[in-house]
Amino acid sequence: MTKAPCWNEIFPEFKSTWQYAYKATLEHYAVLLPTSLLYGLSLFAGDISSFLVDKKSDAYFMVALAGAILSMAFNIGIARMGFQLEEKKPVSTLMLFGYGRFILPLIALNLILGGPLFIIGLWVLSVAPYFFPLAVVAGVYFFVRLGLFSYFLAIAPPATGKFLASFGALYLSLRQSFHATHGWFIFLLLLMIAEFALLILGALLLGIGLIWAVPFTLFANTHVFRRISERSLVK
């Protein structure tokens, strides 16, 4: 596994990642145009629907929820596309829809993990609010450490369509991400903040900026995944 960067190596590593993503985006953004628009629509479905329906309505909630679920599954397809392009292989927007079997496991995992964490957060906020910032920090820490799970899932052997098999593959990918990102928290946190800002900026530019922002973040994450994991698997 690649050694994590020291403090004085974080900026050069960040610069290297940004340069790789910039060159790869210049080369492939046209191929990924439909993918970028679809992914952007799923990612900001709730915000887009707010122009048409009231944010307090059931319709808004359903659209936002559907977009969040779709974007989670799309993340895996986008990761697979990144690997394909890196290996000079053809890609198709239809690859976004190739991981639908993980939608139910993703929902189940979010309920299993997110439900108790949400309840604990509410309890901390009401009983001991001064501990709430610590809960937020813990949430951010695990979010960053588990953030590469979709890339591990994209290179994993295809799971069968059965729920338990797909759930097991998803659980293993989370373990692999947590294992591989040891020592990389600060770098990945800074990268995620920069990528989030780039996606927000792309969305604010009437969505047109997503044509660049989505491929850019894809190639940045692909590069980082290769650097820190070297396809190492948790036994």
Side-chain angles (χ1 to χ4, degrees):
M1 187 175 300
T2 305
K3 181 183 176 183
C6 301
W7 280 101
N8 61 338
E9 297 173 333
I10 288 179
F11 178 73
E13 188 72 38
F14 200 91
K15 182 180 178 181
S16 171
T17 300
W18 229 238
Q19 288 174 338
Y20 173 86
Y22 178 79
K23 291 178 181 178
T25 303
L26 277 179
E27 183 178 354
H28 299 295
Y29 80 93
V31 175
L32 292 170
L33 177 58
T35 300
S36 301
L37 294 176
L38 275 175
Y39 181 71
L41 284 173
S42 69
L43 201 60
F44 297 101
D47 300 289
I48 295 170
S49 68
S50 66
F51 292 102
L52 303 173
V53 298
D54 187 350
K55 283 189 175 183
K56 297 180 180 180
S57 67
D58 292 338
Y60 172 82
F61 175 77
M62 294 304 296
V63 171
L65 181 62
I69 294 170
L70 273 178
S71 66
M72 287 190 290
F74 282 177
N75 274 332
I76 310 169
I78 283 181
R80 182 69 247 173
M81 294 173 77
F83 293 137
Q84 291 277 102
L85 289 171
E86 188 182 55
E87 297 166 4
K88 308 298 181 183
K89 295 179 180 179
V91 297
S92 167
T93 303
L94 293 177
M95 293 175 68
L96 278 180
F97 302 93
Y99 293 88
R101 63 186 178 277
F102 289 107
I103 288 180
L104 287 179
L106 281 166
I107 294 173
L109 191 68
N110 274 277
L111 291 174
I112 292 171
L113 297 179
L117 289 176
F118 179 73
I119 293 171
I120 291 171
L122 289 179
W123 179 81
V124 170
L125 191 59
S126 60
V127 177
Y130 39 84
F131 283 126
F132 187 71
L134 293 178
V136 172
V137 170
V140 170
Y141 175 78
F142 283 103
F143 179 79
V144 172
R145 291 291 304 274
L146 300 174
L148 291 179
F149 83 93
S150 58
Y151 288 80
F152 280 103
L153 208 53
I155 65 170
T160 65
K162 294 181 179 179
F163 175 83
L164 289 180
S166 298
F167 187 88
L170 176 60
Y171 171 72
L172 179 60
S173 71
L174 289 168
R175 286 185 57 206
Q176 290 166 345
S177 178
F178 192 82
H179 173 76
T181 54
H182 175 70
W184 287 78
F185 173 75
I186 298 298
F187 173 80
L188 288 173
L189 177 62
L190 293 175
L191 181 66
M192 285 187 176
I193 292 173
E195 289 179 347
F196 181 73
L198 188 62
L199 288 169
I200 292 296
L201 180 61
L204 290 175
L205 296 174
L206 300 178
I208 303 300
L210 294 173
I211 296 172
W212 178 269
V214 171
F216 192 92
T217 56
L218 162 64
F219 291 118
N221 289 336
T222 302
H223 177 73
V224 169
F225 175 82
R226 296 293 194 193
R227 288 279 295 131
I228 73 175
S229 72
E230 296 181 347
R231 298 203 178 205
S232 61
L233 300 177
V234 175
K235 303 296 183 181

